[in-house]
Amino acid sequence: MKAEAWLFSGVAVFFAVTGGVYLRYADDPAGIAALAVSFLMSALIAAFLWRQFRRDGYRPEDRGDAQVREAADRRFSFPARSYAPVVSAVGTALVGLGVVQGLWLALIGFGVLVPGVFGFVFRPGADREGGA
């Protein structure tokens, strides 16, 4: 997690510096808003990754002497036959297209997105495995 945290911290700093320069020399409110939102989103991800690193420490992927079996007890793993990521991605894409094409497509997208989110939240077997 530490490498990813550094990466997103660098992205956040880039957007902060770029946004500051753009704010100084440009009069475009849309560009300023886009750079500000980009900074906030990357800073949020960086903060989450730093928090996870402080809480969990190095992952097996981060260490050179790790064994394959150490990564077997991952907290955020989904079964190989989980359809929740695919259903959520399709629903999100339909909602995004619905914003452009019309309300009817966005409503269909929300109808597809809700089961995908429920699949993530209420994953079958999560309580029996002692998982997250």
Side-chain angles (χ1 to χ4, degrees):
M1 287 279 174
K2 193 171 186 179
E4 293 91 346
W6 277 113
L7 177 71
F8 277 99
S9 297
V11 170
V13 168
F14 169 77
F15 281 124
V17 170
T18 306
V21 171
Y22 195 83
L23 180 65
R24 171 79 170 99
Y25 293 108
D27 294 330
D28 181 26
I32 295 168
L35 287 169
V37 168
S38 298
F39 163 72
L40 290 173
M41 289 176 17
S42 57
L44 177 69
I45 294 170
F48 170 76
L49 289 172
W50 280 114
R51 182 179 155 268
Q52 289 295 104
F53 174 70
R54 277 195 299 271
R55 191 180 79 177
D56 296 336
Y58 286 100
R59 298 174 300 175
E61 295 91 2
D62 298 331
R63 296 190 338 257
D65 63 337
Q67 299 292 323
V68 174
R69 66 176 174 262
E70 293 180 43
D73 59 345
R74 298 292 301 243
R75 268 193 256 191
F76 300 110
S77 64
F78 286 91
R81 296 188 181 193
S82 174
Y83 294 108
V86 176
V87 172
S88 298
V90 169
T92 303
L94 287 174
V95 169
L97 284 172
V99 170
V100 175
Q101 297 296 326
L103 179 63
W104 64 274
L105 190 57
L107 293 175
I108 293 171
F110 280 119
V112 173
L113 182 62
V114 167
V117 171
F118 274 99
F120 272 119
V121 174
F122 301 111
R123 185 176 72 190
D127 292 334
R128 284 179 276 137
E129 297 170 358

